[in-house]
Structures are given as C-alpha cells and as structure tokens.
Amino acid sequence: MKFTKRFMAIAIALMVMLPAMAQFKIGPRLGVDVNSLHFNKDVFQEDNRAGFTGGLQAEFMIPGLGFGFDASVMYVRRSATFTDDQRTEVNADYIEIPVNLKYKLGLPLLGNILKPYVFTGPSFSFLTSRRFFSDFVNKKSDTAWNFGFGIELINHLQLSASYAVGMSKALDVFHLSNENANINGKNRYWTVTAAWLF
C-alpha cells in the first residue's frame, strides 16, 4: 500500500510539473473486460466472463524521450461465475482509475503512422453496485497492477491489451463451514480497448 501511495504521489507531481513540456491528449476509450476470480483456497471452479468498459483517457508524453503516462476514468462491468454446490454468477460495477507509466517505441519513417508501446501501473477500482449477496460480500474497493502493450495509429487511435493482477481482495465468502472459513477472491482480468485521443 505504501508503494501504491508513493506511485500516485509521483504521478500527481508529474501531472503538475510537466504539462508545459509534455504532449497532452485526451479522448474516449471503450472496450471489453474479461474477468476471472481467483480464490485463496481450491474450493470453487471459476469461469472467465466478459464485461464492458468505457470512459475517458488522458495521456502525457515527454517529447523526444518516448516516456510518459496515461490515466483513465472508466466504468467497468465485471462478471464471474463460480461453482461449489451450486453455480453462482457475480456481477459487479466499478469506477476504475488506472494510472500507467508508458513507453512508445519510435519507428524510423513510420513514427507518424505507427507507434508500438508498452505500459504498466496500478489500477484503483471503486464498487458502485450491490455489495451484499447471500453467500459473499463485495469489497468497496480493490487494487490491481496492470501490464500491457498496444499500438498507436495516425497519432490518434490507440489499440491496447492489458492483464491486471489483483493485489487486494475483491470479495469474501462467508457461507461455508469453519474449515473453509476466510475464503476470499481477487480479480484478475484482461482488458482490450480502443481509444481516440485528440
């Protein structure tokens, strides 16, 4: 948690100090979120489920270096299905704020048409939907770490894919026997998006 707070402090400081020299872009971002809950005990069988994500992305890049960062405010619908004695489907709505360090690879002669990039950083999700169910409780917030790659076309269209590893619990299960107490699940998910930045 201390590392996450330091990362956020550095990101905010960069946002304040670098606007004059950075290239700033902003625009809509839409995509698909494929989620899987991973539990700390082998009690459930989980199925990957697809959800929707959409929102707004901002990008700051330092000219000549290829480095910068982006931040988004996204609505996310995550779904997961898991089975013990019965099949249970979990749907959760979040406001997600990913903040990523980004590096764009400049290609000779193609720089204005095609730029591959990689990125990594934390993602903070805040639950906006129902919290309590018969067998479990969704956490009000959870944190994950993103690893991703993408390609920028004609300096505006960004197509990206990322994998996020949950660092905090997304839900607790509390209907099972004492021997299976303290079962919790963490979100792990792929996100594929397209963004148009102006």
Side-chain angles (χ1 to χ4, degrees):
M1 189 61 91
K2 288 183 179 179
F3 177 78
T4 303
K5 289 181 179 178
R6 287 178 185 170
F7 186 91
M8 284 298 293
I10 292 170
I12 292 170
L14 285 172
M15 287 178 70
V16 172
M17 293 166 49
L18 295 178
M21 60 182 287
Q23 295 173 345
F24 175 75
K25 294 181 181 179
I26 191 167
R29 181 182 177 197
L30 299 171
V32 177
D33 187 274
V34 181
N35 185 62
S36 178
L37 282 166
H38 286 250
F39 293 90
N40 62 335
K41 296 186 181 181
D42 295 329
V43 176
F44 300 103
Q45 294 179 342
E46 306 90 35
D47 294 329
N48 292 341
R49 295 295 301 274
F52 167 81
T53 184
L56 195 64
Q57 177 178 324
E59 177 188 85
F60 295 85
M61 298 300 296
I62 302 173
L65 296 181
F67 281 100
F69 65 93
D70 65 38
S72 303
V73 177
M74 308 290 290
Y75 161 79
V76 181
R77 160 62 63 96
R78 292 195 186 117
S79 298
T81 299
F82 56 93
T83 306
D84 53 350
D85 295 331
Q86 61 183 5
R87 189 175 176 86
T88 304
E89 183 173 329
V90 180
N91 293 312
D93 298 322
Y94 292 89
I95 297 298
E96 182 179 22
I97 305 173
V99 180
N100 296 303
L101 180 66
K102 179 182 279 187
Y103 176 71
K104 292 183 181 178
L105 178 62
L107 298 177
L109 305 176
L110 296 175
N112 290 328
I113 301 171
L114 181 111
K115 290 180 187 172
Y117 61 87
V118 293
F119 58 92
T120 187
S123 183
F124 308 94
S125 298
F126 303 94
L127 186 71
T128 61
S129 60
R130 184 179 174 191
R131 188 168 178 229
F132 292 95
F133 294 81
S134 60
D135 298 331
F136 60 88
V137 56
N138 280 323
K139 296 295 186 179
K140 291 181 180 179
S141 64
D142 69 82
T143 306
W145 195 273
N146 294 317
F147 302 90
F149 61 92
I151 189 166
E152 182 179 88
L153 302 172
I154 60 173
N155 286 325
H156 293 286
L157 178 62
Q158 293 190 359
L159 306 174
S160 68
S162 64
Y163 185 69
V165 179
M167 298 192 304
S168 62
K169 295 189 294 183
L171 60 81
D172 284 321
V173 178
F174 52 79
H175 78 295
L176 300 173
S177 62
N178 288 335
E179 66 182 80
N180 288 323
N182 299 318
I183 292 176
N184 60 73
K186 294 182 179 181
N187 280 318
R188 293 185 184 176
Y189 48 93
W190 281 97
T191 304
V192 179
T193 62
W196 186 269
L197 304 183
F198 300 93

